[in-house]
């Protein structure tokens, strides 16, 4: 009986530990998606193709292109933070962690 209670307790501890590890990742994904929708999708489009009127007007890059896909998350984060060509900088509007999460989200969009 004691052994069964210890086993159940161990499973509960494992479950809650895994849950605590997953929640920040899920939050970061949702936060990155929300930031993308509010700050990026008007030009880059919901799918990252850049096929919006604004994107076409300023010549944004398609996230699916080899040029964008070869960029690391760090490279993309630097572009987001500092801006590039006609793209505005977001380093003064987003926290470093938000920029890194957004860069990973952008990279993921290009792989879809």
């Amino acid at each position: 009986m004691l052994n069964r209670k210890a086993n159940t307790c161990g499973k509960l501890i494992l479950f809650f530990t895994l849950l605590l590890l997953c929640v920040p990742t899920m939050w970061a994904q949702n936060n990155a998606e929300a930031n993308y929708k509010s700050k990026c999708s008007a030009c880059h489009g919901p799918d990252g193709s850049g096929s919006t009127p604004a994107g076409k007007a300023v010549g944004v890059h398609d996230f699916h292109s080899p040029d964008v896909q070869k960029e690391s998350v760090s490279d993309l984060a630097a572009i987001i933070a500092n801006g590039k060509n006609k793209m505005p900088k977001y380093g003064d509007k987003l926290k470093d962690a938000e920029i890194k999460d957004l860069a990973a989200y952008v990279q993921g969009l290009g792989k879809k």
Side-chain angles (χ1 to χ4, degrees), residues 6 20 32-33 39 44 51 53 60 62 64 68 80 82 85 87-88 102:
L20 288 173
E33 184 177 2
K39 303 198 177 346
H44 291 284
S51 61
V60 301
D62 182 345
H64 304 91
V68 175
I80 294 167
N82 302 316
N85 300 328
M87 183 179 141
L102 183 55

Side-chain angles (χ1 to χ4, degrees), residues 63-82:
F63 294 153
H64 304 91
S65 73
D67 288 341
V68 175
Q69 282 300 299
K70 73 179 180 183
E71 300 285 348
S72 69
V73 170
S74 296
D75 293 336
L76 293 172
I79 293 168
I80 294 167
N82 302 316

Side-chain angles (χ1 to χ4, degrees), residues 5-102:
K5 284 184 179 181
N7 189 19
T8 301
C9 185
K11 287 179 182 178
L12 284 172
I13 290 171
L14 178 62
F15 171 76
F16 284 111
T17 301
L18 291 173
L19 182 65
L20 288 173
L21 292 173
C22 291
V23 168
T25 303
M26 292 178 340
W27 178 83
Q29 175 68 22
N30 289 338
N31 194 35
E33 184 177 2
N35 280 332
Y36 181 84
K37 285 179 180 178
S38 69
K39 303 198 177 346
C40 310
S41 67
C43 292
H44 291 284
D47 62 352
S49 68
S51 61
T52 66
K56 290 176 184 177
V58 296
V60 301
H61 293 281
D62 182 345
F63 294 153
H64 304 91
S65 73
D67 288 341
V68 175
Q69 282 300 299
K70 73 179 180 183
E71 300 285 348
S72 69
V73 170
S74 296
D75 293 336
L76 293 172
I79 293 168
I80 294 167
N82 302 316
K84 186 173 181 180
N85 300 328
K86 294 181 182 178
M87 183 179 141
K89 65 179 185 169
Y90 288 96
D92 55 350
K93 296 174 183 71
L94 298 171
K95 297 175 185 168
D96 289 342
E98 290 174 314
I99 291 172
K100 184 178 177 186
D101 292 341
L102 183 55

